[in-house]
Amino acid sequence: MSLEDVRAKMTHLNLPYTAARLAELVDGAVRDQQGPLSFFEQVLSLELSQREERRIAVSLKLSGLPKGMQLDTFDFMFQPAVEKTRVDFLASGEFVRQKENVLFFGPPGVGKTHLAVGLGARAVELGYSVIYYTVEELLYRLKRHAGTPVGSQRRQAYVKNALVVLDELGYQVLDRHETHLFFQFVSARYLKGSTILTSNRSVRDWVQVFAGDEMATTAILDRLFHRAHLFSIDGRSYRLREFDKLMREAER
Ligand code: ADP
Ligand code: MG
C-alpha cells in the first residue's frame, strides 16, 4: 500500500486537509514513535479543526458582517458605559438560544456597530446562522418581497437566520410603507429568532423615525423590547478620540 493509495482514499472520504499533509504526518509519527491510536487521533483532530475553521470563515463571509470588529478588540476601558461582564455573558450565545434581542443605543462613534458585529461573529463561531444588514439594506430587501407577508417568507435570510444584526436605525426616516414593512419584520422574528439592533436615536425619537406613526412605533417597541438586553452608551466617540486629544492639547 503506497502513500498515494492512502491519500486517494482520504480524499475520497473528504479529508483533504490531512490528505495533503499525509507524508509530513507519517514522517512525524515515525520520528516521534507515535502509537497507531495517537496517530489516528491526531489526523482526525487536525481534519476536524480545519473543517471548523473553514465553516467559520465561510459563514462569516455569508453573514455579511463587516470585518475587523471582534469582541476581543473592543477597548472596554475607553467606554466604561459598557459593562464587560454583560457583554461577556452575551458572548456565551445564550441570548440567541433564548431568542432574545440586544439593543445598542448611543451617539455616533461609541462602538455600537463594533459590539453588535462582535456578538454576531461570536454567534457564528458558536454555530448559529447570522446575517448582517443595515436598516437601509433590510428595507430594500423587504420591499422586493412586499407582495408576500414577511411571516411566509421563510426562505428569506431576514426570517430564517437565528440572529439578524440590524445596524443603524435612525439615520434614515422611514415612510409609512417602510414602517409597516419594518413592523412586519419585527413581528416575524418575535419569539422566533434573535435580533441585535443599533440606533443613534433614543426611543423617545423613534416615532419620528417611524413616519410619526405612534401606533406602529408602539407595536415595534413592544416586540423588540420584550426580552431584550439594553445598552445605552453615552460615552465619547472612539473615532474622534485623536481629535479630542488634539483639541485638549490646543486648549492648553
Ligand atoms: P457606532 O456604530 O456607535 O457609530 P462604531 O462601532 O462604528 O461606532 O465605532 C467606530 C469605530 O471605532 C470603529 O472602527 C470601531 O471599531 C472603533 N471603536 C469604537 N469603540 C471602540 C472601542 N471601545 N474599542 C476599540 N475600537 C472601538
Ligand atoms: Mg454604527
Side-chain angles (χ1 to χ4, degrees):
M1 164 127 314
S2 76
L3 204 66
E4 262 327 300
D5 289 334
V6 178
R7 214 199 316 265
K9 284 181 177 144
M10 287 175 79
T11 306
H12 198 66
L13 281 168
N14 193 21
L15 304 170
Y17 181 73
T18 39
R21 279 155 195 77
L22 190 58
E24 175 196 328
L25 289 167
V26 168
D27 285 349
V30 172
R31 189 189 55 229
D32 302 339
Q33 299 183 328
Q34 207 172 4
L37 194 61
S38 154
F39 176 70
F40 197 52
E41 200 280 328
Q42 184 194 8
V43 168
L44 295 180
S45 295
L46 269 174
E47 192 67 49
L48 277 174
S49 64
Q50 188 62 23
R51 200 172 283 188
E52 178 67 358
E53 236 173 73
R54 240 186 352 243
R55 177 193 69 76
I56 292 172
V58 169
S59 306
L60 278 177
K61 200 156 188 186
L62 288 175
S63 73
L65 286 163
K67 289 195 191 112
M69 294 187 183
Q70 288 83 29
L71 290 179
D72 58 12
T73 58
F74 191 82
D75 182 355
F76 287 90
M77 303 283 269
F78 180 83
Q79 208 60 271
V82 181
E83 278 176 62
K84 186 172 184 302
T85 48
R86 289 186 69 206
V87 175
D88 285 345
F89 170 71
L90 292 175
S92 72
E94 182 62 14
F95 78 98
V96 185
R97 213 173 65 78
Q98 299 290 347
K99 304 172 184 358
E100 295 166 347
N101 300 328
V102 184
L103 311 174
F104 291 105
F105 293 93
V110 294
K112 301 182 299 296
T113 299
H114 192 128
L115 289 168
V117 169
L119 284 174
R122 179 76 190 119
V124 167
E125 283 169 17
L126 291 168
Y128 293 108
S129 57
V130 179
I131 187 88
Y132 168 93
Y133 296 122
T134 61
V135 169
E136 194 182 356
E137 286 163 348
L138 175 73
L139 286 172
Y140 173 77
R141 269 152 228 271
L142 290 173
K143 281 178 199 167
R144 280 207 318 218
H145 300 278
T148 356
V150 179
S152 43
Q153 297 172 22
R154 267 176 251 292
R155 278 179 322 180
Q156 298 308 320
Y158 46 81
V159 177
K160 72 176 183 192
N161 276 270
L163 172 64
V164 174
V165 180
L166 192 50
D167 204 8
E168 301 188 345
L169 179 73
Y171 282 102
Q172 178 194 354
V173 171
L174 279 62
D175 63 24
R176 287 226 162 213
H177 179 57
E178 291 167 336
T179 297
H180 177 67
L181 291 175
F182 192 88
F183 165 70
Q184 285 193 321
F185 160 79
V186 171
S187 287
R189 293 200 62 75
Y190 181 59
L191 304 180
K192 295 209 183 72
S194 287
T195 305
I196 299 181
L197 181 77
T198 79
S199 178
N200 64 324
R201 306 281 292 268
S202 89
V203 175
R204 257 170 274 116
D205 300 335
W206 276 23
V207 69
Q208 280 147 260
V209 174
F210 292 119
D213 187 334
E214 276 184 33
M215 204 139 83
T217 306
T218 309
I220 289 166
L221 281 173
D222 235 40
R223 284 162 182 75
L224 271 181
F225 277 68
H226 179 71
R227 294 163 63 170
H229 304 264
L230 305 187
F231 289 84
S232 285
I233 316 176
D234 51 4
R236 292 183 291 148
S237 164
Y238 194 82
R239 282 197 198 97
L240 298 181
R241 70 195 185 290
E242 294 302 323
F243 179 73
D244 280 353
K245 217 180 334 180
L246 286 175
M247 289 298 280
R248 272 199 302 275
E249 272 159 24
E251 277 164 16
R252 254 188 249 135

